[in-house]
Amino acid sequence: MKDITDKTIYTVRQFNNALRNLLETRYRSVWVEGEISGLSTPSSGHVYFMLKEGNSVLRCVLFRNHLFSSRVRPMEGSRVLVHGQISYYEPRGNLQCIVTYLEEAGEGALRRAFELLKQKLAAEGLFDSAHKSSLPEIPRTIGIVTSDSGAALHDILATLKRRYPAARVIVYPTLVQGESAVDEIVRSIDLARRRAETDLLIIARGGGSLEDLQAFNDEKVARCVFECEIPVISGVGHETDFTICDLVADHRAPTPTAAAELASPDLAQLKQRFDYLRDRIRNNTENFIRGHQQTLDYHCSRLQGPARKLNQYRSAFKTLHRQIRFLAETGILRKRALYQRRETSMHALSPNLKIQRLGESLEVLRRSAASHARLRISALTRETAHLQDSIQLMSPQHTLDRGYAIAQNENDKVITGPEQVKPGEPLRISVSRGRFNVTANER
């Protein structure tokens, strides 16, 4: 047992919000049957009432925009079947059903049977788009399965005559209402299948109650339509009517007139397309003929007789002869000029001429060398004399000639100062024209 202390506490707003989400998610689409009570129709146009069943009531609202699509108008005390969505109004904690469709309760059983069959066939894949056939763009023969005395056939034929009078129409008369209508419809579809004389098939009838359309909500009709190899258009009832036949058919039209429009091309559009294709074929044909005519004219212009061809060859031969002669003469002249140029080049490259030029160059070099040698010898002679004079001026003999003398001791060491001489030391004195010995005295 769960501990009561382990609990989640909601505020009133949180709980109402959670309850609203739960109800509106779970009961997004519901059918409810009951008796109308407390009907109210204010000036807004909306209808408010209660659905009552014994001691149980359900608050309902039918908004103005859905009132016109319902089969009946709600009346106090009438028993009805409504389709809608459960809504929960949080501020007041009120639950209500927002009604989108309303019909008499007598149709409730048929509606439930319709929904059950719809779910069954949908589960088997009879409504899948993969099984749908496309309609022929331009059908030659159109088959119609409907009552031959009903307004639906008249509307379909009038529409086909207006839009596409070239179509061949085959009518398969059948009952569309009553106990034997189902077998009649199945028999007519099977007949069209066996004959295979139509390009598509229209199954149609006018509008009515759910009971009136019951034949087109029968499983045998649905399976017969599904197995039909001919593309089928279902145009049963008015725009708000929806049958099992509509779901199984290859294409659904809201009305018989719309089914005829869906099955037939528009004559004006066909004419416009025909005019376009005709003009295109004409232009292509004219261009084709014009092109081949130009080719023919070209080849005709190239056709020539034998004499004209020989004259052309003769003229071409003369032209080639002149060109060959001109080329030959021009070639000889070019060869002669080339020979003269090469002869001149060979003469210029002759060894004797080259030896002569080298001898002349050698003589010029010899004369230049002799001239440079004489100039160099003269310069060197002057430089030598200058150096001799410089040496003479700087020689010790020149100094002695000027009256100077050189004193040397016994070791031939030159005396440059009195501190180098001792008293009584013998000295040798050199003068300009000889030498003599002396003895040093005291200083």
Side-chain angles (χ1 to χ4, degrees):
M1 182 176 180
K2 188 176 181 182
D3 188 356
I4 61 173
T5 60
D6 182 16
K7 58 187 178 181
T8 302
I9 300 176
Y10 294 92
T11 64
V12 174
R13 176 179 297 177
Q14 289 174 339
F15 185 76
N16 281 352
N17 184 58
L19 187 59
R20 179 180 63 82
N21 290 335
L22 177 63
L23 291 172
E24 292 184 358
T25 302
R26 175 65 179 81
Y27 300 103
R28 186 178 298 276
S29 176
V30 294
W31 289 91
V32 183
E33 183 178 343
E35 181 181 331
I36 294 179
S37 176
L39 182 67
S40 174
T41 55
S43 59
S44 62
H46 308 315
V47 180
Y48 300 89
F49 58 91
M50 296 284 189
L51 273 183
K52 184 172 64 172
E53 181 72 27
N55 295 326
S56 300
V57 295
L58 175 63
R59 188 185 303 273
C60 298
V61 56
L62 177 62
F63 292 119
R64 182 176 57 188
N65 58 324
H66 291 127
L67 180 60
F68 301 104
S69 62
S70 298
R71 291 189 178 275
V72 297
R73 296 188 65 84
M75 297 179 61
E76 183 72 25
S78 63
R79 191 167 184 82
V80 295
L81 177 67
V82 301
H83 176 265
Q85 168 183 340
I86 298 300
S87 175
Y88 186 77
Y89 187 57
E90 293 182 46
R92 296 181 183 177
N94 291 338
L95 182 144
Q96 66 179 355
C97 178
I98 300 177
V99 178
T100 58
Y101 177 79
L102 183 146
E103 64 183 29
E104 293 181 2
E107 297 182 349
L110 296 178
R111 176 63 62 184
R112 285 191 292 272
F114 172 85
E115 292 296 332
L116 290 175
L117 181 59
K118 177 181 175 182
Q119 294 175 7
K120 176 184 177 181
L121 298 182
E124 295 182 19
L126 268 68
F127 304 156
D128 293 349
S129 59
H131 302 304
K132 307 292 185 183
S133 301
S134 59
L135 298 177
E137 186 177 2
I138 303 178
R140 291 175 296 178
T141 305
I142 298 175
I144 305 173
V145 176
T146 189
S147 171
D148 57 356
S149 61
L153 178 60
H154 176 270
D155 294 340
I156 293 174
L157 293 177
T159 302
L160 292 178
K161 184 178 181 181
R162 171 177 54 85
R163 287 174 55 88
Y164 188 45
R168 178 183 175 218
V169 178
I170 300 177
V171 179
Y172 302 93
T174 182
L175 294 176
V176 293
Q177 185 175 341
E179 295 181 358
S180 59
V182 172
D183 294 335
E184 287 280 339
I185 295 172
V186 171
R187 188 180 302 110
S188 296
I189 296 174
D190 284 338
L191 179 62
R193 289 177 56 193
R194 290 195 308 272
R195 290 183 177 180
E197 55 191 350
T198 63
D199 298 313
L200 60 88
L201 197 63
I202 298 176
I203 301 175
R205 69 147 287 161
S209 65
L210 186 60
E211 185 177 0
D212 295 336
L213 303 177
Q214 184 58 27
F216 297 93
N217 288 324
D218 189 87
E219 183 174 356
K220 289 195 296 184
V221 173
R223 295 191 181 278
C224 184
V225 172
F226 180 77
E227 294 171 1
C228 183
E229 298 84 2
I230 305 171
V232 176
I233 300 175
S234 176
V236 178
H238 296 304
E239 294 187 6
T240 57
D241 298 323
F242 226 101
T243 66
I244 297 296
C245 183
D246 294 333
L247 299 173
V248 180
D250 298 302
H251 297 272
R252 186 249 176 185
T255 63
T257 300
E261 292 178 349
L262 185 61
S264 59
D266 189 359
L267 184 61
Q269 293 180 355
L270 282 179
K271 186 178 183 304
Q272 182 179 4
R273 183 177 179 185
F274 173 79
D275 292 341
Y276 166 75
L277 293 176
R278 181 193 59 196
D279 294 340
R280 186 174 178 181
I281 292 173
R282 180 188 295 116
N283 293 334
N284 290 341
T285 304
E286 291 177 353
N287 292 335
F288 178 82
I289 295 174
R290 188 182 299 111
H292 282 72
Q293 184 64 48
Q294 292 176 353
T295 303
L296 180 62
D297 294 342
Y298 170 73
H299 288 297
C300 289
S301 65
R302 296 189 62 186
L303 293 175
Q304 300 174 0
R308 185 177 179 183
K309 200 68 175 178
L310 289 174
N311 291 333
Q312 289 180 351
Y313 285 144
R314 188 178 293 109
S315 176
F317 174 76
K318 291 180 179 179
T319 301
L320 290 174
H321 182 266
R322 287 195 298 268
Q323 290 178 350
I324 293 172
R325 184 174 181 180
F326 171 77
L327 291 174
E329 294 176 352
T330 304
I332 293 173
L333 293 176
R334 284 202 302 268
K335 294 292 185 180
R336 183 177 298 168
L338 178 63
Y339 172 77
Q340 292 177 352
R341 288 196 300 271
R342 289 183 177 178
E343 185 179 15
T344 303
S345 299
M346 292 178 63
H347 178 72
L349 295 174
S350 173
N352 295 332
L353 182 60
K354 193 170 184 178
I355 292 171
Q356 181 181 354
R357 290 177 179 174
L358 289 175
E360 293 175 353
S361 298
L362 182 62
E363 180 63 22
V364 171
L365 291 174
R366 186 186 65 78
R367 292 176 182 177
S368 177
S371 176
H372 280 83
R374 286 194 297 270
L375 292 175
R376 183 61 177 168
I377 291 172
S378 177
L380 290 174
T381 300
R382 288 193 299 272
E383 186 177 355
T384 301
H386 176 71
L387 291 175
Q388 287 178 349
D389 292 341
S390 298
I391 292 171
Q392 186 66 29
L393 290 174
M394 295 176 62
S395 67
Q397 185 63 39
H398 182 71
T399 302
L400 294 176
D401 290 341
R402 290 166 56 192
Y404 292 94
I406 298 174
Q408 294 174 302
N409 59 17
E410 292 177 344
N411 296 326
D412 293 333
K413 184 178 181 180
V414 176
I415 304 302
T416 59
E419 69 278 0
Q420 296 177 338
V421 180
K422 299 177 180 180
E425 181 180 1
L427 299 174
R428 185 172 56 249
I429 303 301
S430 297
V431 292
S432 175
R433 292 192 295 274
R435 298 177 180 180
F436 58 91
N437 296 325
V438 296
T439 301
N441 295 326
E442 293 182 2
R443 293 177 292 175

PDB file of all heavy atoms in Angstrom, residues 38-64:
ATOM      1  N   GLY A  38     -32.816  21.922 -22.823  1.00  0.00           N
ATOM      2  CA  GLY A  38     -32.325  23.252 -22.467  1.00  0.00           C
ATOM      3  C   GLY A  38     -31.760  23.989 -23.654  1.00  0.00           C
ATOM      4  O   GLY A  38     -30.719  24.660 -23.540  1.00  0.00           O
ATOM      5  N   LEU A  39     -32.404  23.915 -24.815  1.00  0.00           N
ATOM      6  CA  LEU A  39     -31.922  24.549 -26.040  1.00  0.00           C
ATOM      7  C   LEU A  39     -31.928  26.070 -25.893  1.00  0.00           C
ATOM      8  O   LEU A  39     -32.912  26.649 -25.427  1.00  0.00           O
ATOM      9  CB  LEU A  39     -32.793  24.121 -27.214  1.00  0.00           C
ATOM     10  CG  LEU A  39     -32.399  24.661 -28.595  1.00  0.00           C
ATOM     11  CD1 LEU A  39     -31.069  24.088 -29.028  1.00  0.00           C
ATOM     12  CD2 LEU A  39     -33.482  24.309 -29.622  1.00  0.00           C
ATOM     13  N   SER A  40     -30.823  26.730 -26.283  1.00  0.00           N
ATOM     14  CA  SER A  40     -30.722  28.190 -26.208  1.00  0.00           C
ATOM     15  C   SER A  40     -30.081  28.694 -27.493  1.00  0.00           C
ATOM     16  O   SER A  40     -29.026  28.192 -27.906  1.00  0.00           O
ATOM     17  CB  SER A  40     -29.879  28.610 -24.997  1.00  0.00           C
ATOM     18  OG  SER A  40     -29.675  30.009 -25.007  1.00  0.00           O
ATOM     19  N   THR A  41     -30.721  29.683 -28.137  1.00  0.00           N
ATOM     20  CA  THR A  41     -30.198  30.256 -29.380  1.00  0.00           C
ATOM     21  C   THR A  41     -30.088  31.770 -29.225  1.00  0.00           C
ATOM     22  O   THR A  41     -30.994  32.517 -29.628  1.00  0.00           O
ATOM     23  CB  THR A  41     -31.108  29.907 -30.564  1.00  0.00           C
ATOM     24  OG1 THR A  41     -32.443  30.354 -30.246  1.00  0.00           O
ATOM     25  CG2 THR A  41     -31.133  28.416 -30.812  1.00  0.00           C
ATOM     26  N   PRO A  42     -29.013  32.290 -28.639  1.00  0.00           N
ATOM     27  CA  PRO A  42     -28.850  33.741 -28.464  1.00  0.00           C
ATOM     28  C   PRO A  42     -28.626  34.436 -29.807  1.00  0.00           C
ATOM     29  O   PRO A  42     -28.509  33.796 -30.866  1.00  0.00           O
ATOM     30  CB  PRO A  42     -27.626  33.841 -27.553  1.00  0.00           C
ATOM     31  CG  PRO A  42     -26.880  32.578 -27.776  1.00  0.00           C
ATOM     32  CD  PRO A  42     -27.911  31.523 -28.081  1.00  0.00           C
ATOM     33  N   SER A  43     -28.516  35.778 -29.758  1.00  0.00           N
ATOM     34  CA  SER A  43     -28.375  36.578 -30.979  1.00  0.00           C
ATOM     35  C   SER A  43     -27.054  36.337 -31.694  1.00  0.00           C
ATOM     36  O   SER A  43     -26.896  36.700 -32.857  1.00  0.00           O
ATOM     37  CB  SER A  43     -28.516  38.067 -30.631  1.00  0.00           C
ATOM     38  OG  SER A  43     -27.514  38.447 -29.679  1.00  0.00           O
ATOM     39  N   SER A  44     -26.065  35.766 -31.027  1.00  0.00           N
ATOM     40  CA  SER A  44     -24.763  35.496 -31.664  1.00  0.00           C
ATOM     41  C   SER A  44     -24.869  34.468 -32.781  1.00  0.00           C
ATOM     42  O   SER A  44     -23.995  34.377 -33.636  1.00  0.00           O
ATOM     43  CB  SER A  44     -23.762  35.014 -30.612  1.00  0.00           C
ATOM     44  OG  SER A  44     -24.209  33.793 -30.033  1.00  0.00           O
ATOM     45  N   GLY A  45     -25.975  33.679 -32.789  1.00  0.00           N
ATOM     46  CA  GLY A  45     -26.135  32.649 -33.811  1.00  0.00           C
ATOM     47  C   GLY A  45     -25.655  31.291 -33.370  1.00  0.00           C
ATOM     48  O   GLY A  45     -25.905  30.278 -34.052  1.00  0.00           O
ATOM     49  N   HIS A  46     -24.918  31.225 -32.237  1.00  0.00           N
ATOM     50  CA  HIS A  46     -24.474  29.937 -31.717  1.00  0.00           C
ATOM     51  C   HIS A  46     -25.641  29.258 -31.015  1.00  0.00           C
ATOM     52  O   HIS A  46     -26.582  29.909 -30.542  1.00  0.00           O
ATOM     53  CB  HIS A  46     -23.310  30.111 -30.741  1.00  0.00           C
ATOM     54  CG  HIS A  46     -22.181  30.932 -31.307  1.00  0.00           C
ATOM     55  ND1 HIS A  46     -21.704  30.745 -32.578  1.00  0.00           N
ATOM     56  CD2 HIS A  46     -21.453  31.957 -30.763  1.00  0.00           C
ATOM     57  CE1 HIS A  46     -20.729  31.600 -32.801  1.00  0.00           C
ATOM     58  NE2 HIS A  46     -20.568  32.359 -31.705  1.00  0.00           N
ATOM     59  N   VAL A  47     -25.586  27.924 -30.926  1.00  0.00           N
ATOM     60  CA  VAL A  47     -26.647  27.143 -30.290  1.00  0.00           C
ATOM     61  C   VAL A  47     -26.065  26.407 -29.086  1.00  0.00           C
ATOM     62  O   VAL A  47     -25.045  25.708 -29.214  1.00  0.00           O
ATOM     63  CB  VAL A  47     -27.270  26.142 -31.289  1.00  0.00           C
ATOM     64  CG1 VAL A  47     -28.372  25.328 -30.607  1.00  0.00           C
ATOM     65  CG2 VAL A  47     -27.807  26.856 -32.519  1.00  0.00           C
ATOM     66  N   TYR A  48     -26.701  26.578 -27.927  1.00  0.00           N
ATOM     67  CA  TYR A  48     -26.273  25.917 -26.700  1.00  0.00           C
ATOM     68  C   TYR A  48     -27.384  24.962 -26.248  1.00  0.00           C
ATOM     69  O   TYR A  48     -28.575  25.310 -26.267  1.00  0.00           O
ATOM     70  CB  TYR A  48     -26.001  26.935 -25.595  1.00  0.00           C
ATOM     71  CG  TYR A  48     -24.918  27.932 -25.956  1.00  0.00           C
ATOM     72  CD1 TYR A  48     -25.227  29.121 -26.607  1.00  0.00           C
ATOM     73  CD2 TYR A  48     -23.597  27.658 -25.652  1.00  0.00           C
ATOM     74  CE1 TYR A  48     -24.240  30.031 -26.940  1.00  0.00           C
ATOM     75  CE2 TYR A  48     -22.586  28.557 -25.977  1.00  0.00           C
ATOM     76  CZ  TYR A  48     -22.915  29.742 -26.631  1.00  0.00           C
ATOM     77  OH  TYR A  48     -21.929  30.642 -26.964  1.00  0.00           O
ATOM     78  N   PHE A  49     -27.007  23.743 -25.833  1.00  0.00           N
ATOM     79  CA  PHE A  49     -28.013  22.781 -25.376  1.00  0.00           C
ATOM     80  C   PHE A  49     -27.334  21.698 -24.558  1.00  0.00           C
ATOM     81  O   PHE A  49     -26.095  21.631 -24.473  1.00  0.00           O
ATOM     82  CB  PHE A  49     -28.765  22.164 -26.574  1.00  0.00           C
ATOM     83  CG  PHE A  49     -27.883  21.471 -27.568  1.00  0.00           C
ATOM     84  CD1 PHE A  49     -27.602  20.115 -27.452  1.00  0.00           C
ATOM     85  CD2 PHE A  49     -27.329  22.173 -28.635  1.00  0.00           C
ATOM     86  CE1 PHE A  49     -26.796  19.470 -28.365  1.00  0.00           C
ATOM     87  CE2 PHE A  49     -26.524  21.533 -29.550  1.00  0.00           C
ATOM     88  CZ  PHE A  49     -26.254  20.178 -29.422  1.00  0.00           C
ATOM     89  N   MET A  50     -28.186  20.847 -23.965  1.00  0.00           N
ATOM     90  CA  MET A  50     -27.721  19.696 -23.213  1.00  0.00           C
ATOM     91  C   MET A  50     -28.127  18.437 -23.967  1.00  0.00           C
ATOM     92  O   MET A  50     -29.234  18.357 -24.517  1.00  0.00           O
ATOM     93  CB  MET A  50     -28.342  19.661 -21.811  1.00  0.00           C
ATOM     94  CG  MET A  50     -27.946  20.824 -20.924  1.00  0.00           C
ATOM     95  SD  MET A  50     -26.288  20.629 -20.305  1.00  0.00           S
ATOM     96  CE  MET A  50     -26.259  21.982 -19.116  1.00  0.00           C
ATOM     97  N   LEU A  51     -27.243  17.435 -23.990  1.00  0.00           N
ATOM     98  CA  LEU A  51     -27.615  16.110 -24.460  1.00  0.00           C
ATOM     99  C   LEU A  51     -27.931  15.276 -23.222  1.00  0.00           C
ATOM    100  O   LEU A  51     -27.080  15.129 -22.326  1.00  0.00           O
ATOM    101  CB  LEU A  51     -26.474  15.466 -25.258  1.00  0.00           C
ATOM    102  CG  LEU A  51     -26.400  15.777 -26.751  1.00  0.00           C
ATOM    103  CD1 LEU A  51     -25.264  14.990 -27.384  1.00  0.00           C
ATOM    104  CD2 LEU A  51     -27.700  15.479 -27.460  1.00  0.00           C
ATOM    105  N   LYS A  52     -29.150  14.722 -23.203  1.00  0.00           N
ATOM    106  CA  LYS A  52     -29.615  14.029 -22.000  1.00  0.00           C
ATOM    107  C   LYS A  52     -29.852  12.560 -22.325  1.00  0.00           C
ATOM    108  O   LYS A  52     -30.369  12.211 -23.378  1.00  0.00           O
ATOM    109  CB  LYS A  52     -30.906  14.691 -21.500  1.00  0.00           C
ATOM    110  CG  LYS A  52     -31.432  14.117 -20.197  1.00  0.00           C
ATOM    111  CD  LYS A  52     -32.602  14.948 -19.675  1.00  0.00           C
ATOM    112  CE  LYS A  52     -33.759  14.870 -20.665  1.00  0.00           C
ATOM    113  NZ  LYS A  52     -34.998  15.520 -20.101  1.00  0.00           N
ATOM    114  N   GLU A  53     -29.457  11.713 -21.378  1.00  0.00           N
ATOM    115  CA  GLU A  53     -29.690  10.272 -21.482  1.00  0.00           C
ATOM    116  C   GLU A  53     -29.962   9.763 -20.071  1.00  0.00           C
ATOM    117  O   GLU A  53     -29.028   9.535 -19.290  1.00  0.00           O
ATOM    118  CB  GLU A  53     -28.487   9.559 -22.093  1.00  0.00           C
ATOM    119  CG  GLU A  53     -28.667   8.058 -22.254  1.00  0.00           C
ATOM    120  CD  GLU A  53     -29.647   7.727 -23.367  1.00  0.00           C
ATOM    121  OE1 GLU A  53     -29.799   8.538 -24.333  1.00  0.00           O
ATOM    122  OE2 GLU A  53     -30.267   6.660 -23.292  1.00  0.00           O
ATOM    123  N   GLY A  54     -31.240   9.636 -19.703  1.00  0.00           N
ATOM    124  CA  GLY A  54     -31.591   9.256 -18.330  1.00  0.00           C
ATOM    125  C   GLY A  54     -31.202  10.374 -17.369  1.00  0.00           C
ATOM    126  O   GLY A  54     -31.605  11.535 -17.525  1.00  0.00           O
ATOM    127  N   ASN A  55     -30.379  10.033 -16.368  1.00  0.00           N
ATOM    128  CA  ASN A  55     -29.929  11.033 -15.386  1.00  0.00           C
ATOM    129  C   ASN A  55     -28.610  11.688 -15.793  1.00  0.00           C
ATOM    130  O   ASN A  55     -28.073  12.500 -15.031  1.00  0.00           O
ATOM    131  CB  ASN A  55     -29.774  10.371 -14.007  1.00  0.00           C
ATOM    132  CG  ASN A  55     -31.108   9.888 -13.455  1.00  0.00           C
ATOM    133  OD1 ASN A  55     -32.137  10.517 -13.702  1.00  0.00           O
ATOM    134  ND2 ASN A  55     -31.078   8.783 -12.709  1.00  0.00           N
ATOM    135  N   SER A  56     -28.061  11.341 -16.958  1.00  0.00           N
ATOM    136  CA  SER A  56     -26.770  11.893 -17.394  1.00  0.00           C
ATOM    137  C   SER A  56     -26.993  12.979 -18.440  1.00  0.00           C
ATOM    138  O   SER A  56     -27.881  12.855 -19.299  1.00  0.00           O
ATOM    139  CB  SER A  56     -25.892  10.789 -17.993  1.00  0.00           C
ATOM    140  OG  SER A  56     -25.651   9.777 -17.040  1.00  0.00           O
ATOM    141  N   VAL A  57     -26.203  14.042 -18.304  1.00  0.00           N
ATOM    142  CA  VAL A  57     -26.292  15.146 -19.268  1.00  0.00           C
ATOM    143  C   VAL A  57     -24.887  15.508 -19.735  1.00  0.00           C
ATOM    144  O   VAL A  57     -23.905  15.272 -19.028  1.00  0.00           O
ATOM    145  CB  VAL A  57     -26.980  16.390 -18.658  1.00  0.00           C
ATOM    146  CG1 VAL A  57     -28.431  16.104 -18.314  1.00  0.00           C
ATOM    147  CG2 VAL A  57     -26.208  16.871 -17.438  1.00  0.00           C
ATOM    148  N   LEU A  58     -24.796  16.075 -20.938  1.00  0.00           N
ATOM    149  CA  LEU A  58     -23.527  16.575 -21.515  1.00  0.00           C
ATOM    150  C   LEU A  58     -23.799  17.944 -22.109  1.00  0.00           C
ATOM    151  O   LEU A  58     -24.659  18.095 -22.979  1.00  0.00           O
ATOM    152  CB  LEU A  58     -23.006  15.616 -22.599  1.00  0.00           C
ATOM    153  CG  LEU A  58     -21.765  16.073 -23.363  1.00  0.00           C
ATOM    154  CD1 LEU A  58     -20.565  16.207 -22.432  1.00  0.00           C
ATOM    155  CD2 LEU A  58     -21.449  15.099 -24.502  1.00  0.00           C
ATOM    156  N   ARG A  59     -23.063  18.940 -21.610  1.00  0.00           N
ATOM    157  CA  ARG A  59     -23.220  20.289 -22.115  1.00  0.00           C
ATOM    158  C   ARG A  59     -22.609  20.360 -23.526  1.00  0.00           C
ATOM    159  O   ARG A  59     -21.498  19.874 -23.766  1.00  0.00           O
ATOM    160  CB  ARG A  59     -22.504  21.280 -21.194  1.00  0.00           C
ATOM    161  CG  ARG A  59     -22.765  22.757 -21.532  1.00  0.00           C
ATOM    162  CD  ARG A  59     -21.906  23.639 -20.646  1.00  0.00           C
ATOM    163  NE  ARG A  59     -22.147  23.372 -19.243  1.00  0.00           N
ATOM    164  CZ  ARG A  59     -23.118  23.973 -18.517  1.00  0.00           C
ATOM    165  NH1 ARG A  59     -23.904  24.869 -19.105  1.00  0.00           N
ATOM    166  NH2 ARG A  59     -23.264  23.695 -17.239  1.00  0.00           N
ATOM    167  N   CYS A  60     -23.349  21.002 -24.471  1.00  0.00           N
ATOM    168  CA  CYS A  60     -22.904  21.081 -25.876  1.00  0.00           C
ATOM    169  C   CYS A  60     -23.050  22.505 -26.399  1.00  0.00           C
ATOM    170  O   CYS A  60     -23.907  23.267 -25.935  1.00  0.00           O
ATOM    171  CB  CYS A  60     -23.727  20.146 -26.768  1.00  0.00           C
ATOM    172  SG  CYS A  60     -23.598  18.399 -26.342  1.00  0.00           S
ATOM    173  N   VAL A  61     -22.206  22.849 -27.386  1.00  0.00           N
ATOM    174  CA  VAL A  61     -22.327  24.112 -28.093  1.00  0.00           C
ATOM    175  C   VAL A  61     -22.107  23.841 -29.581  1.00  0.00           C
ATOM    176  O   VAL A  61     -21.190  23.119 -29.970  1.00  0.00           O
ATOM    177  CB  VAL A  61     -21.311  25.164 -27.572  1.00  0.00           C
ATOM    178  CG1 VAL A  61     -19.894  24.652 -27.661  1.00  0.00           C
ATOM    179  CG2 VAL A  61     -21.448  26.475 -28.363  1.00  0.00           C
ATOM    180  N   LEU A  62     -22.988  24.381 -30.396  1.00  0.00           N
ATOM    181  CA  LEU A  62     -22.885  24.277 -31.854  1.00  0.00           C
ATOM    182  C   LEU A  62     -22.691  25.677 -32.406  1.00  0.00           C
ATOM    183  O   LEU A  62     -23.611  26.492 -32.389  1.00  0.00           O
ATOM    184  CB  LEU A  62     -24.162  23.644 -32.433  1.00  0.00           C
ATOM    185  CG  LEU A  62     -24.236  23.524 -33.964  1.00  0.00           C
ATOM    186  CD1 LEU A  62     -23.137  22.626 -34.490  1.00  0.00           C
ATOM    187  CD2 LEU A  62     -25.611  22.990 -34.377  1.00  0.00           C
ATOM    188  N   PHE A  63     -21.466  25.977 -32.848  1.00  0.00           N
ATOM    189  CA  PHE A  63     -21.162  27.328 -33.321  1.00  0.00           C
ATOM    190  C   PHE A  63     -21.836  27.585 -34.671  1.00  0.00           C
ATOM    191  O   PHE A  63     -22.156  26.648 -35.427  1.00  0.00           O
ATOM    192  CB  PHE A  63     -19.655  27.528 -33.433  1.00  0.00           C
ATOM    193  CG  PHE A  63     -18.973  27.538 -32.091  1.00  0.00           C
ATOM    194  CD1 PHE A  63     -18.005  26.594 -31.786  1.00  0.00           C
ATOM    195  CD2 PHE A  63     -19.298  28.497 -31.129  1.00  0.00           C
ATOM    196  CE1 PHE A  63     -17.370  26.602 -30.559  1.00  0.00           C
ATOM    197  CE2 PHE A  63     -18.673  28.511 -29.889  1.00  0.00           C
ATOM    198  CZ  PHE A  63     -17.705  27.563 -29.600  1.00  0.00           C
ATOM    199  N   ARG A  64     -22.011  28.842 -34.937  1.00  0.00           N
ATOM    200  CA  ARG A  64     -22.777  29.250 -36.106  1.00  0.00           C
ATOM    201  C   ARG A  64     -22.194  28.712 -37.409  1.00  0.00           C
ATOM    202  O   ARG A  64     -22.939  28.312 -38.309  1.00  0.00           O
ATOM    203  CB  ARG A  64     -22.846  30.783 -36.140  1.00  0.00           C
ATOM    204  CG  ARG A  64     -23.658  31.347 -37.299  1.00  0.00           C
ATOM    205  CD  ARG A  64     -23.740  32.860 -37.185  1.00  0.00           C
ATOM    206  NE  ARG A  64     -22.396  33.442 -37.136  1.00  0.00           N
ATOM    207  CZ  ARG A  64     -22.175  34.730 -36.880  1.00  0.00           C
ATOM    208  NH1 ARG A  64     -23.178  35.547 -36.641  1.00  0.00           N
ATOM    209  NH2 ARG A  64     -20.931  35.177 -36.844  1.00  0.00           N
TER     210      ARG A  64
END
